[in-house]
Amino acid sequence: MKNTALIYCERNFGKMDGKTANGLIRQSGKYDITGVIDSTQAGLDAGEVLDEGKNGIPVFASLEQAIERLEQMPTDFIYGIAPAEAFLKSEERELLFQAMKQGMNIINPLHEFLGEDEEFKQYAEKYSVTIVDVRKPPLKKDLHLFSGQILSIETPIVAVLGTDSAVGKRTTAVLLQAALEKAGFSAAFIATGQTGLLQGAAYGAAVDALPSQYITGEIENQIMKAYNKEHPDIIIVEGQGALSHPAYISSSGILKGARPGAVIVQHPPMRVNLGDFPFMKMPTVKSEIELIENFSHSKVVAITINHENMTDHQIDQTVKKYEEELGLPATDVLKHGCDKLVQSILTAFPSLAHKKTLVR
């Protein structure tokens, strides 16, 4: 049975920095989500906030209100914000202490490891709860350097990269995996961030928490685990940040470690500046594609759109524009599904197209 969980996402649910909460509401194989805390969205259904229709998960104004209205106390309390500073504010520490007093385990996706914090350790012992630091990397003796094993496998590998952080790369990757499986293929998903791991991904590592020397090796290792255990028809790798982004090296590690034969690029057309770096302009889709293809041996095969602040008409017009100007299939997977992506992958990897013909 899944653990039940309450997610804290004050003032950020449905927004860029609420991506951990957003992702868990959309899909969670590991937790049964019973509610979200965000006073600015209180009273709404969580699915409504994400523009996906009601899903029966309520949004509460506070921890106190959640405790009062939920029929049972959740087993876990998830910090669902991904702030740029990656550390708890003083009032958030107190809130987590209150959750521990109620007997809830703490699920922490931040770079700040609460299991090493003396005050948190005392609370955990006093109230018999646990603390899970999702981003805490393995000991160095258990990390992997790039070995070259990945060069020997012929399984197609597709990476979903983007032009910024929090643009929907993970969401697209998860939906693409499901679409490929619906089409009759076995597909493995490699998570590279905290949210994918929290969602219950069977393979993955929070690469931005690893020493840079080990990023490529850990990505390769997770891909080899999936390959050796499942021998999937295709492997989908979640991207992080953006190759062009000055604050992240994750995308370069993913390209080097995963060595994808194909890349899908996700872009938010209405975003003018980088999300957490408003002093820097967003790259264009074209410039990101050129950078990816010049940096690696990978070929960009499709474009996906993050429709933040866009009308349906703007989405349709943008899709048409990208396809005409860039000569690549484009879509919004949340609005129009993954059919174009599946077809672009079959075109990029003829062996998969042949397999589909045999299956039929």
Side-chain angles (χ1 to χ4, degrees):
M1 292 180 62
K2 297 180 184 179
N3 279 9
T4 54
L6 179 63
I7 304 176
Y8 172 77
C9 198
E10 178 60 22
R11 294 187 296 276
N12 282 283
F13 183 45
K15 299 180 181 178
M16 191 186 81
D17 282 353
K19 65 179 184 178
T20 297
N22 303 341
L24 287 169
I25 292 300
R26 288 192 171 107
Q27 192 265 345
S28 178
K30 193 172 183 179
Y31 298 97
D32 180 7
I33 308 300
T34 60
V36 179
I37 296 173
D38 182 347
S39 63
T40 66
Q41 310 279 3
L44 295 175
D45 181 279
E48 290 179 309
V49 176
L50 299 180
D51 194 29
E52 296 183 358
K54 290 187 177 182
N55 59 17
I57 300 174
V59 182
F60 299 110
S62 63
L63 174 60
E64 292 75 17
Q65 185 184 79
I67 292 170
E68 178 184 330
R69 297 187 181 181
L70 289 172
E71 293 183 5
Q72 290 185 320
M73 188 69 65
T75 56
D76 297 324
F77 190 83
I78 300 174
Y79 186 88
I81 308 173
E85 61 271 17
F87 290 93
L88 291 176
K89 301 179 179 67
S90 58
E91 64 269 20
E92 292 174 334
R93 287 179 64 90
E94 291 302 319
L95 179 71
L96 266 60
F97 292 151
Q98 291 302 315
M100 296 170 83
K101 287 180 181 180
Q102 296 295 328
M104 285 185 267
N105 304 311
I106 300 300
I107 311 300
N108 167 42
L110 298 175
H111 284 293
E112 177 183 14
F113 302 144
L114 304 182
E116 298 176 355
D117 182 295
E118 287 301 322
E119 196 170 10
F120 271 93
K121 288 164 67 174
Q122 291 171 12
Y123 269 86
E125 183 176 358
K126 182 175 181 179
Y127 296 103
S128 300
V129 297
T130 60
I131 299 170
V132 177
D133 291 316
V134 179
R135 266 192 171 118
K136 190 172 183 178
L139 297 174
K140 285 189 174 64
K141 68 180 182 65
D142 297 320
L143 291 173
H144 299 81
L145 294 170
F146 186 78
S147 68
Q149 294 179 74
I150 199 170
L151 302 176
S152 65
I153 69 173
E154 296 181 357
T155 303
I157 298 172
V158 177
V160 182
L161 304 184
T163 54
D164 193 7
S165 61
V167 294
K169 298 180 289 288
R170 182 198 65 257
T171 298
T172 291
V174 170
L175 291 176
L176 177 58
Q177 178 193 23
L180 286 162
E181 290 176 345
K182 186 177 179 180
F185 301 103
S186 59
F189 169 65
I190 311 297
T192 56
Q194 72 277 12
T195 305
L197 296 174
L198 280 171
Q199 287 177 317
Y203 311 101
V207 297
D208 63 354
L210 298 173
S212 59
Q213 184 179 7
Y214 296 100
I215 292 175
T216 57
E218 281 302 305
I219 291 169
E220 179 194 42
N221 181 60
Q222 293 300 321
I223 290 173
M224 294 308 300
K225 278 185 180 180
Y227 174 77
N228 291 324
K229 184 175 181 180
E230 299 184 21
H231 292 285
D233 296 320
I234 188 168
I235 296 172
I236 310 297
V237 183
E238 172 196 11
Q240 292 294 320
L243 187 60
S244 62
H245 202 303
Y248 301 106
I249 63 170
S250 307
S251 286
S252 64
I254 288 167
L255 283 167
K256 290 183 176 185
R259 301 182 67 84
V263 170
I264 294 165
V265 174
Q266 179 113 355
H267 179 65
M270 300 302 285
R271 195 178 293 184
V272 177
N273 300 312
L274 294 175
D276 288 321
F277 299 83
F279 50 86
M280 297 198 71
K281 295 290 185 184
M282 283 287 296
T284 65
V285 179
K286 186 175 186 294
S287 68
E288 196 72 26
I289 290 172
E290 290 174 349
L291 180 61
I292 290 168
E293 293 186 341
N294 286 325
F295 178 84
S296 67
H297 294 291
S298 305
K299 181 71 175 175
V300 174
V301 299
I303 302 162
T304 48
I305 291 172
N306 177 316
H307 62 244
E308 62 185 23
N309 302 317
M310 296 179 75
T311 64
D312 288 346
H313 177 69
Q314 287 174 320
I315 293 169
D316 293 341
Q317 290 299 107
T318 302
V319 165
K320 182 179 179 182
K321 175 185 175 183
Y322 286 166
E323 290 186 335
E324 290 176 351
E325 293 182 357
L326 300 172
L328 293 170
T331 190
D332 179 331
V333 296
L334 290 175
K335 294 283 186 178
H336 304 302
C338 292
D339 288 351
K340 287 184 180 180
L341 302 187
V342 172
Q343 186 55 54
S344 70
I345 289 171
L346 295 181
T347 301
F349 301 105
S351 61
L352 282 177
H354 179 63
K355 176 181 174 62
K356 186 173 183 179
T357 301
L358 292 176
V359 170
R360 284 182 174 176

